[in-house]
Amino acid sequence: SLLRVPTSGTSSGTPSQVAITGRGSLTGLIRAVRFSPDGTRIALVIGGSGRVVQCVVGTVERNGSSVRIDNLVVVTPSDMTVTDAAWADGTTLYVTGRTDPSDYGVWSVQSDGSAFSKRPFSNLPAQPESIAASSGELPWVASGGGVFIQRSNVWSAPFGGIDATVR
């Protein structure tokens, strides 16, 4: 279930369920919710209970005070377990996760599932658990109890060398 909580109006503070259509057989817990910069699309990290966790993108349909999510498209490979997602810009997502226990990292993918490619992951101490990104800014990840920023082809502590890791 995905819930919406209005912040104004007569139903302020009262949660309501958001309908999700076009998801086919995709089921499981919603582990992350990320709106595109313009608010017209949404990325969901969904799965679990014995199923692979994937990233899907859908359109946000608004009609008056009602909202629904339509046209979900899986944008990550079926053998990948996704831990988080972030919009890098209006069409590009960064996703963290792994394809097997030894192959973890960060990937970029277009919102239609095209151009899936691995980004550099050297200097990350462990599989990234979460990621933050925005247009025109360097991505940040949480990994192995620390926070790292991607500079060129390596991840490093945001305020100095490896000894300056932010925890």
Side-chain angles (χ1 to χ4, degrees), residues 120-144:
F121 71 101
S122 51
N123 292 351
L124 289 178
Q127 175 180 322
E129 298 99 32
S130 61
I131 188 164
S134 67
S135 185
E137 298 295 328
L138 298 170
W140 293 56
V141 298
S143 172

Side-chain angles (χ1 to χ4, degrees), residues 3 10 19 27 29 36 50 55 61 75 79 105 113 118 136 142 154 165:
L3 300 178
T10 58
T27 61
L29 297 173
S36 65
C55 182
E61 302 291 336
V75 298
D79 66 342
K118 192 161 189 179
V154 298
T165 299

Side-chain angles (χ1 to χ4, degrees), residues 26 53 93 103 157:
L26 187 62
V53 180
L93 285 157
D103 187 20

